[in-house]
Amino acid sequence: MALDANDRSIAGFTMAGHSLVHWFETSIPIFLVVWLAEFDVSILLLGLVLAPSYGLFGFGALPAGILADKYGTKRLILLCLAGMSLGFLVLALATGIYAVAAGLLVWGLAASVYHPAGLSLISTGVRERGTVFAYHGIAGNVGIALGPFVAATLLIFLQWQLVAALLAIPGFLAVLYGLSADFDPTGAVEGMDAADASDKALSLSDLLGNTRTLFASAFAVVFVIVTFEGLFYRGMLTYLPEILEGLPALEGFAVGPDLEGIEPSRYIYVGFLVVGIVGQYVGGKLTDRMAPTRGLLAIFVVLAALALAFIPVSTMGIAPLLVLCGLLGFFLFAIQPFYQNAVAVHTPADTRGLSYGYTYLGEFGLGSASIAIGGFLLDAFPLATFFAVLAAFALTGALLSAGLIAFLDRFESSRPVEEAGADDD
């Protein structure tokens, strides 16, 4: 079924927002090498400067979800885009490491708003939700791939402050585009309008009551499932480039000294992210055809198998390694539309912002614990241990998904799904 005008408008607006969140997110590490030389600081200090901004990106999602329910999703997304761009302008004016820290904090706080607000908008405004989730995910992957590529290329020719300013321009253009976008943010929910949604009071008792309602439902299990997906996702994304660089299969493909810093492993990693675009699209289309928890179960099992297969496959040569990385990229991103749709299926429409706030607290906040876990494992144990732990995260997600399927198959939900056309497990 083709998207109607409202669906198309929301799709365009949220795709712009999602791509830019990850455009900024993945360009930041490219600046780290420059800042190390520019400010003559240790890697430890620079890490301490960077960590709070990524922490805000995850843990700020919960208050952002609350604000989205109260003040409206479009308004929050526009503030997110403007705030991220402003953060990069602060970077462009930075003359010291503390100014860099301030710019990164502005970016992290603003970026935390997007996922709960953007996904809440799709879940309540879009009738062809699965298709738009797919397009939305593709846009995010485009941002993930383009951000570091554009930043690295510009840094060859320009000073880093000018590069930071140039990277901010698409964000401000997206704000102008968003101001002109016209859509109904509750167009997919019968009997609900934007005024009713935003007029709801958000007292502490309301917040606690809504939270109790969410975690007394199937959403509690979905939240834990998303957290384990986040542990797998962040661990894999953070350490795969370094792991690839040290594999014997790539030793014969090292480049010469004139191209120092350009490693074959980086190209494989970019390919891994590009294949993820296809995974997002396929996963989103499949959410229109199967219950989200069944899709989660199947993909978690595949991810566990791929993680366990990584070590033996990496010894077979470059071709099998490329195939395995392609499959990992496909399924790592194909799973995302399923958990996004699972949240929409198992939560009331009027608490959708809060629901996605908790979702991305689990995905990006609690899931970021795998950065510390992975670093410890890679430092103290054989590489196979790291992938075994990732497989354990995926298998835990699979078991939780299977348990939720069994429960939902046995007992019908006491709360009917409000959205027209929503899937029911």
Side-chain angles (χ1 to χ4, degrees):
M1 184 183 296
L3 301 181
D4 61 25
N6 196 65
D7 284 8
R8 288 196 301 273
S9 184
I10 291 175
F13 180 53
T14 54
M15 287 170 69
H18 196 205
S19 63
L20 285 168
V21 167
H22 294 296
W23 160 277
F24 288 120
E25 177 199 8
T26 55
S27 68
I28 290 172
I30 301 299
F31 289 99
L32 295 186
V33 175
V34 179
W35 291 335
L36 281 168
E38 179 83 8
F39 302 117
D40 192 25
V41 296
S42 67
I43 296 177
L44 175 60
L45 177 58
L46 204 53
L48 292 174
V49 166
L50 181 60
S53 63
Y54 279 110
L56 276 176
F57 183 37
F59 287 99
L62 178 55
I66 296 169
L67 292 174
D69 283 337
K70 175 60 179 175
Y71 295 107
T73 52
K74 180 178 180 180
R75 186 181 306 175
L76 265 291
I77 294 171
L78 290 173
L79 288 173
C80 164
L81 293 168
M84 291 190 300
S85 302
L86 178 62
F88 267 61
L89 287 186
V90 173
L91 290 179
L93 298 173
T95 57
I97 194 63
Y98 296 109
V100 167
L104 291 175
L105 286 172
V106 172
W107 170 81
L109 181 62
S112 70
V113 170
Y114 179 75
H115 285 92
L119 293 171
S120 177
L121 174 57
I122 293 172
S123 70
T124 59
V126 171
R127 295 186 181 277
E128 293 297 312
R129 193 166 57 206
T131 297
V132 174
F133 273 143
Y135 293 152
H136 180 263
I138 290 170
N141 276 77
V142 170
I144 286 172
L146 281 182
F149 175 78
V150 172
T153 303
L154 291 177
L155 283 169
I156 296 173
F157 307 103
L158 304 172
Q159 293 293 316
W160 71 266
Q161 292 93 338
L162 181 56
V163 174
L166 291 173
L167 291 177
I169 292 175
F172 288 119
L173 293 177
V175 171
L176 296 177
Y177 165 69
L179 288 171
S180 66
D182 183 25
F183 51 78
D184 178 4
T186 59
V189 182
E190 299 295 336
M192 179 181 178
D193 60 44
D196 289 340
S198 62
D199 284 344
K200 290 183 180 293
L202 271 181
S203 65
L204 179 60
S205 61
D206 291 329
L207 173 59
L208 293 175
N210 288 343
T211 297
R212 282 194 297 267
T213 298
L214 285 175
F215 283 92
S217 70
F219 174 77
V221 182
V222 174
F223 172 78
V224 181
I225 290 171
V226 170
T227 298
F228 277 97
E229 190 279 335
L231 289 167
F232 189 101
Y233 171 87
R234 186 57 70 190
M236 184 65 73
L237 234 59
T238 300
Y239 292 110
L240 185 59
E242 181 180 349
I243 290 169
L244 289 171
E245 192 169 339
L247 291 178
L250 298 182
E251 287 180 356
F253 293 85
V255 299
D258 292 338
L259 296 176
E260 184 178 355
I262 303 177
E263 298 289 341
S265 59
R266 306 295 171 84
Y267 291 105
I268 295 175
Y269 186 66
V270 170
F272 164 86
L273 295 173
V274 171
V275 172
I277 297 173
V278 181
Q280 284 272 11
Y281 179 78
V282 173
K285 296 298 287 186
L286 287 175
T287 60
D288 286 332
R289 293 169 172 80
M290 64 187 302
T293 46
R294 298 183 188 279
L296 288 169
L297 170 59
I299 297 178
F300 270 128
V301 171
V302 172
L303 287 174
L306 291 173
L308 292 174
F310 191 94
I311 296 300
V313 170
S314 68
T315 65
M316 297 177 182
I318 185 67
L321 179 63
L322 290 175
V323 172
L324 180 64
C325 287
L327 290 172
L328 266 173
F330 180 90
F331 286 103
L332 184 63
F333 290 97
I335 198 172
Q336 293 183 358
F338 283 99
Y339 74 68
Q340 292 163 357
N341 201 35
V343 174
V345 168
H346 295 297
T347 59
D350 59 355
T351 60
R352 200 58 55 70
L354 179 64
S355 305
Y356 281 115
Y358 277 116
T359 298
Y360 282 92
L361 184 151
E363 167 79 3
F364 292 136
L366 300 178
S368 67
S370 62
I371 296 176
I373 295 169
F376 169 73
L377 293 173
L378 291 170
D379 183 61
F381 296 93
L383 182 58
T385 305
F386 171 79
F387 284 102
V389 171
L390 288 188
F393 291 151
L395 287 174
T396 302
L399 289 173
L400 289 167
S401 300
L404 185 56
I405 291 169
F407 174 80
L408 292 171
D409 283 348
R410 188 169 299 178
F411 303 102
E412 289 187 357
S413 173
S414 60
R415 181 174 60 234
V417 176
E418 296 176 320
E419 294 87 357
D423 292 325
D424 194 350
D425 282 349

